[in-house]
């Protein structure tokens, strides 16, 4: 099941911003050794060399404003084939998918096809009495009261079957009353994208978000990934769990307990392109981005809030947007400092090794260090 760990990430970014400007290595080493294929920031590379455990494969990306400072793999994407991880290795970005779904809703609002204040019944038709108050805003902010999930990510469930079960499920709280992180809510949003646009969820994203952003290697099946391009995932014992599409998928992508809330495949380079597109008005105008990054709903137990598909944290350096994701094998983390355009993304195809290390537990440390170095222009 896809997940977010807002407390650890909020703490990480708070610390990173407090210490910003203190990063970088001494001894006069040039900060960046760049190639056209994989730009490398030497400060980041040396930090990763002494920090990452042996075993996992992954990719680390860092950018300041519109400049890609670092995009390089570590370890192996496929241990059997001995394939190195690179800037262009394809991974499951897991719950980071939610920001794409949210952006699709904002795009449809820009197009005049819906409003975030709309009740879901205006799109889905008659709904049970306890669901009549649910709006798109509630779904986007995890305040609709829907359960986290309805079943296993890989259960072969159609869109309409998912909607039927979601609408018949018992609410955890009345709409708008409480924050309950809900993968179900984002699957419902993906279904709404289809119903309003008249095309498939992935096709809408590809046409209206990914293509304008120059993202050619992001999607479920439309990019036609070859197996060799996609990272194999490994459990805590180092046992292969295959590639994301080796699990039960429909012909057009994951089934509907996962679609819209997770499972999107992408590369580090494309995740940078997504960040760069969000810096301007390539995909969303200023009003849409303001709504997406507004701290709409407080995340219980933290100083952070949830916007539309993003966690949001207010700091002395302005607003930070973030999300992370995990699926018991891989782990990914993505953050953007909105004021100065700093972006950090990292993903690993093995999240932990039993009794030895756990990258999710190192999220605070890694995001602090990577943010420090990304923001250091010296």
């Amino acid at each position: 099941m896809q997940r977010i760990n807002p407390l650890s990430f909020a703490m990480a970014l708070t610390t990173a911003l407090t210490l910003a400007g203190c990063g970088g290595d001494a001894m006069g080493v040039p900060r960046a050794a760049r190639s056209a294929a994989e730009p490398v920031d030497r400060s980041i590379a040396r930090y990763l060399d002494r920090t990452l455990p042996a075993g996992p494969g992954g990719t680390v990306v860092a950018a300041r404003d519109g400049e890609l400072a670092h995009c390089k793999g570590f370890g192996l994407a496929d241990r059997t084939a001995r394939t190195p991880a690179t800037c262009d290795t394809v991974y499951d970005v897991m719950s980071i998918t939610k920001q794409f779904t949210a952006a699709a809703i904002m795009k449809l609002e820009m197009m005049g096809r819906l409003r975030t204040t709309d009740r879901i019944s205006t799109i889905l038709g008659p709904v049970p009495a306890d669901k009549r108050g649910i709006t798109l805003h509630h779904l986007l902010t995890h305040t609709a009261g829907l359960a986290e999930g309805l079943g296993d990510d890989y259960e072969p469930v159609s869109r309409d079957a998912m909607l039927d079960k979601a609408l018949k499920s018992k609410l955890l709280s009345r709409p708008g009353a409480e924050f309950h992180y809900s993968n179900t809510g984002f699957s419902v949003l993906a279904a709404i994208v289809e119903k309003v646009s008249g095309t498939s969820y992935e096709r809408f994203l590809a046409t209206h978000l990914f293509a304008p952003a120059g993202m050619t290697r992001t999607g479920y099946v439309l990019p036609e990934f070859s197996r060799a391009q996609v990272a194999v995932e490994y459990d805590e014992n180092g046992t292969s769990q295959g590639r994301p599409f080796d699990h039960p998928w429909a012909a057009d992508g994951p089934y509907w307990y996962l679609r819209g809330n997770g499972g999107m495949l992408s590369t580090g380079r494309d995740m940078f392109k997504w960040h760069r597109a969000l810096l301007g008005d390539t995909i969303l105008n200023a009003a849409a981005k303001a709504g997406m990054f507004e701290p709409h709903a407080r995340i219980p137990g933290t100083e952070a809030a949830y916007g539309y598909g993003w966690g949001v944290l207010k700091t002395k350096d302005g607003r930070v947007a973030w999300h992370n994701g995990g699926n018991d094998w891989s782990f990914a983390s993505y953050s953007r400092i909105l004021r100065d355009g700093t972006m950090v993304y990292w993903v690993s195809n093995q999240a932990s090794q039993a009794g030895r290390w756990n990258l999710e537990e190192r999220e605070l440390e890694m995001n602090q260090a990577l943010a420090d170095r990304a923001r250091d222009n010296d």
Side-chain angles (χ1 to χ4, degrees):
M1 191 66 69
Q2 314 302 304
R3 63 184 181 273
I4 186 173
N5 186 351
L7 179 57
S8 67
F9 213 130
M11 292 171 59
L13 291 171
T14 300
T15 307
L17 291 168
T18 300
L19 299 178
C22 299
D25 291 317
M27 300 184 293
V29 175
R31 283 192 50 80
R34 302 180 187 278
S35 70
E38 291 195 329
V40 176
D41 183 296
R42 290 187 179 179
S43 174
I44 289 175
R46 299 202 314 188
Y47 164 75
L48 294 172
D49 284 345
R50 64 177 181 263
T51 300
L52 291 171
T59 297
V60 176
V61 183
R64 180 178 177 84
D65 206 6
E67 179 185 1
L68 181 60
H70 187 94
C71 187
K72 189 168 179 61
F74 60 88
L76 298 175
D78 182 339
R79 296 174 193 175
T80 301
R82 307 298 296 173
T83 305
T86 72
C87 178
D88 297 299
T89 298
V90 177
Y91 304 89
D92 182 351
V93 303
M94 298 160 281
S95 276
I96 294 171
T97 302
K98 291 180 175 66
Q99 60 195 246
F100 301 140
T101 303
I105 294 294
M106 303 309 289
K107 190 70 173 182
L108 285 166
E109 186 170 54
M110 286 174 56
M111 296 164 68
R113 305 291 297 276
L114 54 71
R115 296 175 298 177
T116 57
T117 54
D118 287 343
R119 295 190 177 192
I120 61 172
S121 58
T122 65
I123 299 166
L124 301 180
V127 301
D130 63 335
K131 312 294 192 309
R132 290 174 188 165
I134 295 177
T135 66
L136 302 186
H137 172 86
H138 294 145
L139 295 174
L140 288 162
T141 57
H142 299 290
T143 58
L146 293 172
E148 179 177 2
L150 299 172
D152 185 82
D153 285 348
Y154 305 111
E155 187 175 335
V157 174
S158 68
R159 184 191 74 183
D160 290 346
M162 177 277 296
L163 284 173
D164 183 67
K165 190 168 182 179
L167 293 175
K168 289 179 178 177
S169 66
K170 182 179 179 180
L171 291 181
L172 302 176
S173 59
R174 63 178 177 80
E178 298 177 4
F179 179 95
H180 296 284
Y181 187 76
S182 177
N183 290 306
T184 301
F186 272 76
S187 290
V188 173
L189 285 168
I192 287 170
V193 169
E194 293 198 346
K195 286 179 174 289
V196 172
S197 70
T199 190
S200 74
Y201 166 76
E202 184 186 2
R203 179 67 66 182
F204 184 86
L205 266 60
T207 302
H208 296 281
L209 303 181
F210 300 154
M215 298 166 65
T216 61
R217 310 306 295 158
T218 301
Y220 287 138
V221 300
L222 292 180
E224 297 184 352
F225 301 113
S226 71
R227 291 186 63 82
Q229 294 171 322
V230 182
V232 176
E233 298 181 301
Y234 299 89
D235 67 16
E236 64 176 4
N237 297 311
T239 302
S240 171
Q241 300 300 309
R243 294 169 170 86
F245 43 62
D246 290 335
H247 302 281
W249 269 27
D252 59 347
Y255 290 106
W256 276 86
Y257 287 160
L258 182 59
R259 194 171 306 202
N261 70 70
M264 193 66 67
L265 306 182
S266 189
T267 67
R269 199 183 305 273
D270 260 23
M271 294 304 289
F272 163 70
K273 291 178 181 179
W274 177 242
H275 163 69
R276 187 175 59 189
L278 289 172
L279 291 175
D281 59 0
T282 302
I283 51 178
L284 297 177
N285 62 26
K289 289 186 293 183
M292 194 158 65
F293 297 124
E294 181 69 21
H296 294 292
R298 176 63 61 88
I299 301 174
T302 79
E303 296 182 359
Y306 207 84
Y308 289 166
W310 294 80
V312 181
L313 180 69
K314 290 183 177 179
T315 75
K316 66 180 182 62
D317 289 300
R319 194 169 292 171
V320 178
W322 87 92
H323 218 291
N324 60 13
N327 60 7
D328 297 329
W329 310 310
S330 295
F331 186 76
S333 210
Y334 191 59
S335 65
R336 304 179 65 243
I337 301 172
L338 301 182
R339 177 179 294 177
D340 66 13
T342 299
M343 167 264 194
V344 168
Y345 167 74
W346 59 272
V347 58
S348 174
N349 64 353
Q350 183 177 354
S352 65
Q353 184 169 338
R356 297 189 61 187
W357 50 265
N358 187 324
L359 290 179
E360 186 172 354
E361 293 176 355
R362 297 186 182 184
E363 189 180 9
L364 186 156
E365 169 203 341
M366 288 182 62
N367 282 290
Q368 172 186 320
L370 294 170
D372 285 346
R373 287 157 176 78
R375 300 184 81 214
D376 187 354
N377 272 345
D378 297 336

